[in-house]
């Protein structure tokens, strides 16, 4: 069963613009993670935010978490053509070892 | 660090044949996950192991699917007999705490 739902399903922007993707989930979580998948490759972990954190930064990435609204957002600033990929949020539940549940993903296209 | 290694990268076989997918997790990781990815259903967790023990296999579609982890450095996912609807990309991932590290997957086509 899917826990996270990303929005939008697809996003197309010009190089240099910012890209924002949102994730909503249903149940209590221990952490929320964002992954990237380039075509034909496996998923690559980008950033993890714990349930007691509200914002986290890593390079050009900024993630926010609002546990009261059960939502998260991923902001990629100054996008590059190399950022073209699918982005997935994954929620880690409080009781399940290292198990996470992935959403359906957002397909991002950055046009040079 | 060699990362998670999956083999084969591509597999094309006929319906009814047995298929075995292999995974070598990252050394030191104690959790291993098998996923299936399709356009229609997205990324589905099939089964995961912790310290070589299957913890949750509720995502395994049916009895035709089985997974084993005989030791900390090797796991297999077997489909017998295979069907066209099993065509997908199968990923293996491993972790020690978080996050998960993915292999590049096996693209399986059942004709």
């Amino acid at each position: 069963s899917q826990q996270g739902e990303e929005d939008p399903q697809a996003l197309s922007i010009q190089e240099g613009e910012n890209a924002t993707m949102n994730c909503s989930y249903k149940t209590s979580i221990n952490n929320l993670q964002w992954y990237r998948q380039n075509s034909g490759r496996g998923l690559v972990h980008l950033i993890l935010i714990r349930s007691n954190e509200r914002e986290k930064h890593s390079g050009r990435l900024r993630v926010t978490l609002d546990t009261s609204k059960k939502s998260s957002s991923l902001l990629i600033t100054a996008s590059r053509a190399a950022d073209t990929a699918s982005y997935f949020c994954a929620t880690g539940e409080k009781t399940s070892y290292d198990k996470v549940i992935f959403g359906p993903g957002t397909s991002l296209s950055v046009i040079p | 660090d060699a990362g998670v290694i999956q083999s084969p990268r591509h597999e094309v076989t006929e319906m009814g044949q047995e298929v075995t997918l292999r995974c070598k997790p990252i050394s030191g990781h104690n959790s291993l996950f098998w996923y299936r990815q399709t356009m229609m259903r997205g990324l589905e967790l099939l089964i995961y192991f912790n310290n070589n023990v299957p913890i949750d296999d509720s995502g395994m579609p049916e009895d035709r699917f089985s997974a084993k982890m005989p030791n900390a450095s090797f796991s297999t996912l077997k489909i017998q007999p295979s069907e066209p609807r099993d065509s997908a990309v199968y990923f293996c991932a491993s972790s020690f705490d978080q996050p998960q590290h993915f292999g590049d997957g096996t693209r399986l086509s059942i004709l």
Side-chain angles (χ1 to χ4, degrees), chain A residues 33 35 37 41-42 45 98, chain B residues 37 95 97-100 104:
Chain A
Q33 303 172 42
Y35 288 76
Q37 183 180 30
R41 304 298 301 274
H45 180 258
D98 299 345
Chain B
Q37 187 177 39
S95 69
D97 195 0
Q98 298 285 357
Q100 294 184 19
D104 279 334

Side-chain angles (χ1 to χ4, degrees), chain A residues 2-65:
Chain A
Q2 283 183 348
Q3 162 77 303
E5 293 281 338
E6 290 92 341
D7 167 57
Q9 289 187 341
L11 181 61
S12 183
I13 59 173
Q14 296 287 330
E15 201 165 30
E17 294 181 337
N18 295 341
T20 299
M21 287 158 270
N22 302 297
C23 172
S24 59
Y25 58 92
K26 297 183 176 66
T27 63
S28 294
I29 61 171
N30 188 44
N31 63 76
L32 187 142
Q33 303 172 42
W34 287 90
Y35 288 76
R36 184 188 72 223
Q37 183 180 30
N38 290 90
S39 180
R41 304 298 301 274
L43 280 72
V44 174
H45 180 258
L46 295 176
I47 197 166
L48 179 151
I49 186 166
R50 301 198 183 278
S51 59
N52 61 352
E53 298 175 308
R54 292 296 167 257
E55 187 169 314
K56 206 160 183 180
H57 296 254
S58 177
R60 294 184 296 112
L61 306 180
R62 172 177 169 257
V63 169
T64 62
L65 179 64

Side-chain angles (χ1 to χ4, degrees), chain A residues 77-88:
Chain A
T77 59
S79 63
R80 305 166 181 167
D83 295 329
T84 294
S86 292
Y87 292 81
F88 296 85

Side-chain angles (χ1 to χ4, degrees), chain B residues 7 32 46 54-56 87 90:
Chain B
S7 64
L32 183 139
L46 300 178
I55 301 299
D56 183 353
S87 297
Y90 290 81

Side-chain angles (χ1 to χ4, degrees), chain B:
Chain B
D1 185 350
V4 175
I5 299 172
Q6 292 187 245
S7 64
R9 285 297 313 276
H10 303 274
E11 175 88 14
V12 180
T13 192
E14 292 191 346
M15 174 178 167
Q17 296 297 308
E18 177 179 293
V19 174
T20 299
L21 311 181
R22 297 173 175 80
C23 175
K24 177 178 169 57
I26 292 172
S27 177
H29 284 188
N30 63 349
S31 291
L32 183 139
F33 306 82
W34 282 101
Y35 293 90
R36 177 172 68 177
Q37 187 177 39
T38 61
M39 289 293 292
M40 291 296 293
R41 300 174 66 90
L43 196 64
E44 302 173 276
L45 176 64
L46 300 178
I47 184 171
Y48 73 99
F49 297 83
N50 184 263
N51 292 323
N52 311 336
V53 175
I55 301 299
D56 183 353
D57 66 354
S58 60
M60 296 285 262
E62 48 198 277
D63 291 346
R64 298 184 297 106
F65 286 69
S66 62
K68 293 182 181 179
M69 191 164 187
N71 56 62
S73 58
F74 184 65
S75 177
T76 60
L77 177 68
K78 188 174 291 187
I79 308 173
Q80 166 64 17
S82 57
E83 297 182 3
R85 60 193 168 119
D86 301 330
S87 297
V89 182
Y90 290 81
F91 288 103
C92 174
S94 70
S95 69
F96 181 83
D97 195 0
Q98 298 285 357
Q100 294 184 19
H101 298 257
F102 281 73
D104 279 334
T106 295
R107 183 171 295 275
L108 178 63
S109 297
I110 309 296
L111 306 177

